[in-house]
């Protein structure tokens, strides 16, 4: 029952990620967003989620994972309700930002509860495979439900639909997760790293803000470029402060854990390609082939079904038989080949069937990789630091997704004159194909990061 609740929370967070994308045109026209401000329906969530993850992770370790899980889920559900009733852009953007705050508490709490509640090895691998499968299912359900609800009931239902799901999880969580301890295991430590909190939160928020502002705002305008530069400087100062702090927000010894360090680097690369692949695939279907929101959602079902199967069955089996090193390499390599094949299948008059080889390979590789990455990130981390370790892994995921999307949008639009009117289908698809090939190549090269992991002993690989 505990695993069902934790997987359900991951499903809801993933559902929210995709369900809003397909409703953006209706949200823009319904509330009067400008073309430039509409992206902040997505970005307001991304900035607070990515910027507050390190704080959320440390609070999980200090206040308790169950408490933070319940608080994060409550904030998330209330923000969804407020967003559904929004009557102007300001209210909706505020609600989306609060959703990000809730998710920044919920994500590390969920992973920490899994990593401390299930023993390292086959038991934890199985639990994380179910957690990752729930995330894949949520992404597909978001694309599909977003199309259905927007068509049948209007954009507000893409917010309302998550309220009963959050309420159901809140009702089940206290019993499923057991009694909440009055004090967490790490509460005996004195003090709290306030300078570290301020520096990490400000630096992460500014960095994500600059990245999600898009290629134009992020790289050529003083606002976006300045945010990226200042965020990087603040994070550099944060690392210097952490070296001299008695009780740091992020214990720097965690970066000496080879499994966590390699997992963070691989997550950064993997999510860069994955975020770009979703953008390329969605844009090709809607702008290249003329699919509506519902048809686009349905097109994501094959890749999601394969991701769920691979994440729950193939990934754990490979980890048990060949170890994390081999599984992570094969998963990322397969994922990259699949994204590249998907890009090569794009054409102005090509049938959907031409995309299927790439979709099949992409889904299998993505499912295997996602499970392997988070099993790797949790390996060898003490129970009292699982919250911050989970937050570090999820921060890498958010930064990778934001950076990858910004880079690949720039690649896709590099040869287009965006001020000369809409691009022709042929030019649009040429750009998307190039971006897809770059995303696939990045994932293939990232696969070699797996060899930085320790070679497993024969007994461990076969356990």
């Amino acid at each position: 029952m505990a695993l069902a609740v934790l997987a359900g929370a991951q499903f809801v967070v993933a559902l929210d990620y995709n369900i809003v994308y397909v409703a953006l045109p209706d949200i823009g026209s319904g509330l009067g967003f400008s073309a430039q401000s509409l992206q902040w329906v997505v970005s307001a969530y991304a900035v607070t989620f990515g910027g507050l993850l390190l704080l959320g992770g440390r609070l999980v370790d200090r206040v308790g994972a169950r408490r933070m899980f319940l608080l994060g889920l409550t904030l998330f559900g209330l923000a969804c309700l407020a967003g559904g009733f929004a009557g102007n852009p300001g209210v909706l953007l505020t609600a989306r930002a609060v959703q990000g705050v809730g998710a920044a508490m919920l994500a590390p709490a969920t992973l920490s509860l899994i990593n401390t509640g299930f023993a390292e090895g086959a038991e934890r691998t199985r639990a994380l495979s179910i957690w990752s499968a729930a995330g894949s299912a949520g992404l597909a359900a978001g694309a599909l439900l977003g199309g259905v609800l927007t068509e049948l009931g209007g954009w507000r239902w893409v917010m309302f639909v998550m309220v009963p799901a959050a309420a159901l999880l809140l009702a089940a969580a206290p019993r499923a997760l057991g009694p909440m301890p009055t004090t967490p295991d790490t509460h005996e430590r004195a003090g709290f790293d306030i300078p570290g909190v301020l520096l990490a939160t400000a630096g992460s928020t500014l960095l994500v803000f600059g990245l999600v502002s898009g290629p134009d705002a992020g790289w050529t305008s003083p606002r976006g470029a300045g945010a990226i530069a200042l965020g990087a400087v603040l994070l550099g100062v944060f690392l210097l402060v952490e070296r001299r702090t008695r009780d740091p927000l992020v214990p720097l010894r965690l970066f000496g854990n080879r499994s966590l360090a390699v997992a963070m680097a691989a997550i950064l690369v993997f999510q860069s390609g994955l975020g770009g692949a979703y953008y390329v695939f969605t844009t090709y279907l809607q702008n290249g082939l003329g699919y509506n929101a519902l048809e686009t959602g349905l097109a994501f079902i094959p890749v999601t079904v394969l991701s769920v199967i691979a994440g729950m069955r193939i990934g754990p089996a490979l980890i048990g038989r060949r170890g994390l090193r081999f599984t992570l390499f094969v998963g990322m390599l397969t994922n990259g080949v699949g994204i590249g094949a998907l890009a090569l299948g794009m054409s102005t008059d090509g049938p959907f069937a031409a995309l299927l080889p790439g979709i099949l390979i992409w889904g299998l590789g993505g499912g295997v990789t996602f499970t392997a990455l988070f099993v790797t990130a949790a390996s060898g981390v003490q129970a009292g630091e699982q919250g911050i370790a989970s937050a570090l892994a999820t921060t890498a995921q958010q930064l990778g997704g934001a950076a990858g999307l910004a880079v690949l949008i720039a690649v896709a639009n590099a040869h287009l004159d965006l001020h000369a009117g809409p691009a022709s289908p042929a030019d649009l698809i040429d750009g998307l194909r190039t971006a897809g090939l770059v995303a696939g190549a990045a994932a293939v090269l990232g696969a070699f990061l797996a060899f930085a992991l320790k070679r497993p002993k024969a007994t461990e690989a076969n356990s």
Side-chain angles (χ1 to χ4, degrees), residues 91-188:
V91 173
L92 181 59
L93 293 181
T94 301
R96 291 288 291 163
V98 176
Q99 275 184 277
V101 175
M105 300 175 182
L106 190 59
T110 301
L111 272 171
S112 179
L113 287 166
I114 290 176
N115 292 331
T116 57
F118 297 88
E120 187 169 347
E123 184 179 335
R124 184 185 295 173
T125 298
R126 176 180 173 274
L128 284 171
S129 70
I130 293 172
W131 170 84
S132 65
S136 296
L139 288 174
L144 182 57
L145 270 178
V148 172
L149 293 173
T150 302
E151 291 285 334
L152 298 181
W155 69 265
R156 295 182 186 276
W157 284 100
V158 305
M159 304 294 291
F160 287 143
V161 72
M162 291 177 285
V163 176
L168 182 62
L169 290 170
L170 277 171
R175 181 178 179 183
L177 302 180
M180 292 183 292
T182 54
T183 56
D185 294 338
T186 56
H187 191 68
E188 295 177 358

Side-chain angles (χ1 to χ4, degrees), residues 269 329 332-338 340 438-449:
V269 175
F329 174 75
M332 288 193 71
L333 183 67
T334 305
N335 182 68
V337 170
V438 170
V444 169
L445 292 175
F448 291 91
L449 287 168

Side-chain angles (χ1 to χ4, degrees), residues 111-413:
L111 272 171
S112 179
L113 287 166
I114 290 176
N115 292 331
T116 57
F118 297 88
E120 187 169 347
E123 184 179 335
R124 184 185 295 173
T125 298
R126 176 180 173 274
L128 284 171
S129 70
I130 293 172
W131 170 84
S132 65
S136 296
L139 288 174
L144 182 57
L145 270 178
V148 172
L149 293 173
T150 302
E151 291 285 334
L152 298 181
W155 69 265
R156 295 182 186 276
W157 284 100
V158 305
M159 304 294 291
F160 287 143
V161 72
M162 291 177 285
V163 176
L168 182 62
L169 290 170
L170 277 171
R175 181 178 179 183
L177 302 180
M180 292 183 292
T182 54
T183 56
D185 294 338
T186 56
H187 191 68
E188 295 177 358
R189 298 177 185 175
F192 195 80
D193 182 16
I194 299 299
V197 168
L198 296 176
L199 286 167
T201 301
S204 299
T205 301
L206 285 168
L207 192 59
V208 175
F209 172 83
L211 289 170
V212 302
S213 294
D216 293 333
W219 299 336
T220 63
S221 78
R223 183 187 67 175
I228 293 172
L230 182 56
V233 169
L234 289 177
L235 289 176
V237 174
F238 165 72
L239 292 176
L240 293 176
V241 169
E242 295 301 273
R243 292 183 63 182
R244 295 170 171 80
T245 300
R246 182 176 179 182
D247 187 24
L249 175 70
V250 179
L252 296 187
R253 67 176 178 278
L254 286 175
F255 295 105
N257 180 327
R258 189 186 298 186
S259 292
L260 177 59
V262 171
M264 288 177 62
I267 288 170
L268 196 69
V269 175
F270 172 73
Q271 194 65 33
S272 297
L274 184 65
Y278 270 101
Y279 164 77
V280 167
F281 191 32
T282 302
T283 306
Y284 173 69
L285 293 174
Q286 292 186 319
N287 298 348
L289 298 184
Y291 282 26
N292 61 31
L294 179 57
E295 291 169 333
T296 301
L298 290 170
F300 273 92
I301 290 178
V303 67
T304 304
V305 170
L306 283 166
S307 294
V308 170
I309 293 172
M312 291 184 67
R313 298 293 182 186
I314 302 174
L318 280 175
I319 292 171
R321 293 176 183 174
R322 301 297 301 272
L324 283 169
R325 199 167 183 257
F326 176 84
T327 305
L328 187 55
F329 174 75
V330 169
M332 288 193 71
L333 183 67
T334 305
N335 182 68
V337 170
I339 294 173
L342 176 71
L344 291 174
M346 296 178 178
S347 63
T348 54
D349 56 356
F352 183 78
L355 304 176
L356 283 177
I359 289 173
L360 297 176
I361 300 169
W362 173 26
L364 288 171
V368 170
T369 303
F370 204 79
T371 298
L373 282 172
F374 283 91
V375 172
T376 303
S379 298
V381 178
Q382 299 176 9
E385 294 176 337
Q386 282 289 352
I388 192 63
S390 299
L392 286 169
T394 310
T395 298
Q397 185 181 18
Q398 293 300 309
L399 290 176
L405 184 60
V407 168
L408 291 172
I409 288 176
V411 170
N413 295 335

